[in-house]
Every structure is written in structure tokens, then in C-alpha cells.
Amino acid sequence: MQLQDILYKTQLLAVQGSTAVDISAVAIDSRAIKPGAVFVAVKGSVDGHQFIDSAIQNGAVAVVCETLPENSSEDIAYVQVANTAAAAGIMAHNFYGQPSTRLKLVGVTGTNGKTTIATLLYQLFSSMGITCGLISTVQNRIGGETLEATHTTPDAVSLNRLLAQMTDAGCAYAFMEVSSHAIHQHRIEGLQFAGGIFSNITHDHLDYHKTFDEYIRVKKTFFDQLPKEAFALTNMDDRRGMVMVQNTKAAIKTYSLKTTSDFKGKILDNNIMGLHMMVDEQEVHFRLIGEFNAYNLLAVYGAAVCLGEEKITVLQALSVLSGAAGRFEYLVSPNEKVIGIVDYAHTPDALLNVLATIKKLRKGFEQVITVVGCGGNRDKTKRPVMAEVACEYSDKIIFTSDNPRNEDPQDIIKDMEAGVPAGARRKCLSITDRREAIKTALSLANPSDIVLVAGKGHETYQEVNGIRNHFDDREVLKETFELLGK
């Protein structure tokens, strides 16, 4: 494909050299350059303009940049654009044959629930015999093939390559999480979405977005850019649900438990065996647990109906699905019937949702023991709030390490301890070693008690000083049950 074709729909400011040159690849990393590639100098945490010479040395035949270099080479095509990040998305989409137009792409955004909604949509359509793809925090799927996920939303080039692989494999649909980082960094630029889903919004990623208003604004731009042929499905019970879609050109659809909406649900019963709900006047049993999952199920149901599926068929298929790994996964110890729950809850709101669900599952006499930490090098403001939430809903709390990354775990725990109310200090422990913290929690548990291990969910590693060591909360729970004879 020639450079002039790849540049279709980008905002060109200036061109030096010929764009009638064959291109072998689009790259945003100079180290990934192959002979014949075009290098897009994206300004991110590191400015790609610093690596233009390196990219040319590695074989780039064209450079797309925001600032033209002072010393240019005659045999290289230079293209100046207003925003290289946005250009990279559009160029990657063109280079890979505009894959989002060859399947139906549905994006899911919000603070909590993205992974579960996207995963359930993938499971739902797969169970109905439809080949589809999944792009999520936990994993990427192409039909039945599983690929490792390194980011919630991949970079623009990797994302379009992945979508092209999905179309080559015959996928009719792709369901993807759309993070606020990806929207802000233009990773989804150029993609054509058949639908967008909003789950909810609470304080998160303020280390990146700085203010809550900016976080909301970024999320909203996803819906602002949906085409009129698409659907925009929003949570009516979230007070910013209608704000998200107020400027969208897409067809607005709504779901709720508490207010009038297009897809209305009501919880009839919620216990450890699952949810019993009324959905659009149809009684259904689901395997998933908790009010937060009731919202996730309604979002999936509404999206499937918006995509043309029959309501009854969708509800029947949804009733047997189990959801995403590391989201309210539970184990019951063989001897003492202690319930161990592993959940990815790493924001105050997500932790509140899980603990509120556990409270509703209690028969009245069980202790709730919560093991929780916070990630290093991330939003520090939520640490004391996480601790406060844990204290309000738990009988005992153990603060521990999550992924400390490059921070001292003791400093992170100290930040959390600042949120502990004076009257709750007697029920809190701090144990830096996560394995030891889980073991202590289970040692404190009496028969039928509930132990929540929060924060890491599906993750199978713990990141300390840039090194990822194997660590799986689910494995540790199971091993400790056996070790203690629980």
C-alpha cells in the first residue's frame, strides 16, 4: 500500500517528498521499524520526534511528525500533521484495510464493569455460534484463540492489527474495553463503532487526568464521536449516564434497575447461587452475583438486542454464563466452609460494590474479613478512601501490598491507614507480604466466614521494582485452605 493511501483522512499540514511510495508497515516505535516502514513520531511519555533519525537508520522510508526536522534527507518522505497520535490511529486503520468496517465493533467504557460487560458479550455471541473477538484487560480473544493482553486498550497499531486478524478469522463482532487513557491518547482514532456502552463513572485515574471533570470529559468524547448508525447504550441509574450521551449522533438507548428505561431490570433475589431477576417482564436466573452484576447483565442484554438479537434468546444464553475471570470468583473451603472471594476491585466504588454485595449475602453471623492493598505509582487520593470503605463493611481488615511497583509498600499502606476511622483501628492489621496477609485472614476465619481478597483479581503476578513475580490470589487461597485444614 502506498503512503498516500495510508494518509487518507489525516489532517495534513505540509509534505516534503513523494507520498507515492510503497509502505511495508506503520510503526510508532523506532525499534520496531522494518525496511520500507513509515514512522509516526507520537508525543507520549517519550517524544517520538527524538527517534526520527533512529527510525530512518532502521529502514523507515517516510516520517509523519508534528514538527518537521531541520535536517531532512532527500530520499525520505516527510509529512507534517497537527496531531501524530490521531494520525497514527487513522493510518493504522487504513493500512490494515479498515478492519472496523468489516465487522461490528462495540466499545465499553466507564470506571467499573468494562471487563465483565465485554467478556459477557463475547461469551454470549460465541455461545450462539457466532465467531467474534474480545479485547479486554484480562485477555484478547480471536474466535477460540486466546492472546495475552498487556493493556486495557492496545496502542493504535496493535489494535488495528488485532482487528484485522479478527476479520481474517471470520469474526462478525468484536467487543472491546475502551479506557479513558486510550480515548485521550487517540488509540481508537479512525475506528468505526457499531455501538458504545457506558457502565458508570466514579473517581479513578486522577493521577493521569488530574481532575474528575476532565476524566468525565474524556469518557464523553467516545460517545460524541459515535456515528448516527450506531447505538449509545447508557446506565440511567448513574447520575452522569445521560450526560455521556447528550451530544452523540448515535441512537440513545438506556438500561436501569431503578428508573424507567428501554431495558428494565429488577432484582428478585441475590444469593451465593446467583441473581434471580425480572428483565423486561421475563423472570430469569443468572449465575452472576450482586447488584453491580445486575447492571452488567442489563448492559449486555441491551447491547445484544440493539445488535438485532431476540430478547428471549439472549436471556436464555445469558442465564448460563459465568462472567470474567477474577470478578467475584469464589472458593469454599472443604472442611469449615469458609468462603474465599477474589475480586479485581481496585477503586473505592468497586470495593464498595463488592462488600455491599457480600453484606447482602450474609445470613447474619459470619465475619467478613477483607484483605486489600493499593497499587504503587497510581492515584494516591483513593488510598485512604479504600481503607475507609473496607472498615465500614468488614469485621476485620488486613492492609497489604497490591502491585507496589516502584513505591515502598509500607508508604502505600501508611497512606491507606490515614483513612481508618478512630473507632475502627482495633480491627485493622497491616502485613506487607500479601501471601502472609491472606494466610493470616484465613487463620482468623471461623467456619462459614467470608474472606475477601481484593485488588488483583485475574492477575497472575505481583509487580515489585519493575519485576513481575508469579502471584495468583486464587492459587494462594486454595493452597492456604489446604495448609490450614480449613
Side-chain angles (χ1 to χ4, degrees):
M1 183 179 287
Q2 292 200 323
L3 179 60
Q4 58 193 6
D5 301 315
I6 296 170
L7 290 169
Y8 175 62
K9 288 190 177 180
T10 58
Q11 294 182 321
L12 305 184
L13 299 180
V15 176
Q16 290 181 8
S18 173
T19 58
V21 57
D22 289 330
I23 297 297
S24 64
V26 176
I28 57 175
D29 185 340
S30 62
R31 297 166 297 183
I33 292 289
K34 296 177 181 177
V38 54
F39 174 62
V40 187
V42 174
K43 288 183 175 180
S45 54
V46 178
D47 188 350
H49 288 73
Q50 299 175 27
F51 302 98
I52 290 175
D53 289 342
S54 175
I56 292 171
Q57 288 171 9
N58 290 340
V61 296
V63 171
V64 176
C65 52
E66 293 178 20
T67 305
L68 292 168
E70 292 181 8
N71 300 315
S72 57
S73 177
E74 289 184 8
D75 52 355
I76 302 296
Y78 295 90
V79 179
Q80 185 183 18
V81 297
N83 186 314
T84 46
I90 295 167
M91 291 170 67
H93 194 235
N94 289 333
F95 180 79
Y96 286 104
Q98 300 183 349
S100 69
T101 66
R102 293 184 278 135
L103 45 65
K104 289 188 176 179
L105 177 63
V106 177
V108 187
T109 197
T111 305
N112 301 311
K114 295 189 298 294
T115 301
T116 297
I117 292 169
T119 302
L120 283 172
L121 278 165
Y122 168 82
Q123 292 177 350
L124 171 67
F125 279 77
S126 297
S127 72
M128 296 191 293
I130 300 169
T131 304
C132 51
L134 171 67
I135 302 171
S136 81
T137 305
V138 177
Q139 59 183 205
N140 298 325
R141 302 288 298 269
I142 302 176
E145 182 186 2
T146 302
L147 307 173
E148 184 183 357
T150 55
H151 294 80
T152 300
T153 312
D155 68 73
V157 176
S158 302
L159 177 55
N160 279 279
R161 185 189 304 121
L162 190 56
L163 289 170
Q165 290 172 330
M166 290 177 183
T167 61
D168 291 344
C171 292
Y173 297 91
F175 305 105
M176 68 177 284
E177 293 184 51
V178 179
S179 68
S180 59
H181 290 66
I183 299 167
H184 188 254
Q185 294 168 12
H186 300 280
R187 289 184 229 159
I188 60 171
E189 199 79 23
L191 298 183
Q192 180 176 299
F193 286 88
I197 303 168
F198 171 69
S199 59
N200 51 64
I201 196 159
T202 57
H203 286 252
D204 196 20
H205 299 306
L206 299 192
D207 55 322
Y208 180 85
H209 296 291
K210 306 306 178 190
T211 68
F212 189 43
D213 285 345
E214 173 65 6
Y215 178 46
I216 293 169
R217 186 197 67 77
V218 169
K219 289 281 191 190
K220 185 179 174 300
T221 59
F222 170 62
F223 296 95
D224 292 348
Q225 294 167 8
L226 289 176
K228 64 180 180 180
E229 300 82 12
F231 67 85
L233 179 62
T234 191
N235 180 355
M236 277 291 285
D237 291 344
D238 187 286
R239 65 193 185 97
R240 294 179 178 86
M242 293 309 293
V243 172
M244 286 291 152
V245 297
Q246 66 184 10
N247 296 324
T248 189
K249 295 184 286 291
I252 298 171
K253 297 291 181 181
T254 58
Y255 65 95
S256 69
L257 287 174
K258 300 169 184 173
T259 53
T260 303
S261 61
D262 296 303
F263 305 105
K264 183 74 167 67
K266 181 182 180 183
I267 298 174
L268 302 177
D269 190 26
N270 173 30
N271 58 55
I272 199 69
M273 300 306 293
L275 281 161
H276 180 197
M277 290 180 66
M278 189 72 75
V279 179
D280 283 350
E281 301 182 353
Q282 183 73 36
E283 208 168 318
V284 199
H285 288 266
F286 298 106
R287 291 185 178 179
L288 277 70
I289 300 165
E291 183 180 87
F292 62 98
N293 271 324
Y295 281 107
N296 294 336
L297 288 160
L298 284 173
V300 173
Y301 165 69
V305 173
C306 287
L307 289 168
E309 299 300 323
E310 291 291 330
K311 291 184 176 183
I312 295 299
T313 304
V314 171
L315 290 174
Q316 287 174 340
L318 269 179
S319 68
V320 298
L321 299 182
S322 56
R327 269 60 176 178
F328 214 92
E329 275 194 76
Y330 66 91
L331 301 168
V332 181
S333 68
N335 299 324
E336 297 185 2
K337 307 304 177 188
V338 175
I339 299 172
I341 298 171
V342 171
D343 195 274
Y344 188 54
H346 61 288
T347 65
D349 191 64
L351 184 63
L352 174 62
N353 284 338
V354 173
L355 284 168
T357 296
I358 291 171
K359 183 179 180 181
K360 291 175 184 176
L361 297 176
R362 292 170 77 178
K363 294 171 184 174
F365 57 86
E366 312 93 331
Q367 287 188 105
V368 174
I369 304 170
T370 298
V371 179
V372 63
C374 288
N377 306 114
R378 296 295 187 270
D379 183 5
K380 293 186 178 184
T381 62
K382 66 184 181 185
R383 293 174 184 173
V385 187
M386 292 278 283
E388 186 179 2
V389 169
C391 289
E392 183 177 352
Y393 284 88
S394 312
D395 298 294
K396 291 186 175 72
I397 306 96
I398 302 176
F399 300 125
T400 190
S401 296
D402 189 288
N403 290 316
R405 297 183 177 90
N406 295 315
E407 277 195 75
D408 185 334
Q410 293 282 9
D411 290 342
I412 298 171
I413 290 172
K414 192 175 291 184
D415 286 344
M416 296 185 74
E417 289 172 340
V420 176
R425 286 173 188 158
R426 58 180 174 75
K427 62 180 184 180
C428 297
L429 291 172
S430 294
I431 300 174
T432 307
D433 185 291
R434 191 173 181 90
R435 186 181 298 273
E436 194 61 35
I438 294 171
K439 182 181 176 183
T440 301
L442 293 180
S443 298
L444 294 170
N446 298 318
S448 300
D449 281 350
I450 301 170
V451 175
L452 170 64
V453 183
K456 290 177 58 59
H458 64 282
E459 292 177 349
T460 55
Y461 63 86
Q462 188 173 40
E463 187 176 336
V464 184
N465 294 323
I467 299 171
R468 289 189 171 188
N469 304 299
H470 180 77
F471 197 99
D472 188 325
D473 285 346
R474 296 162 295 186
E475 286 180 7
V476 175
L477 261 181
K478 188 175 179 182
E479 290 166 4
T480 311
F481 278 155
E482 293 172 1
L483 179 69
L484 299 176
K486 291 285 182 177

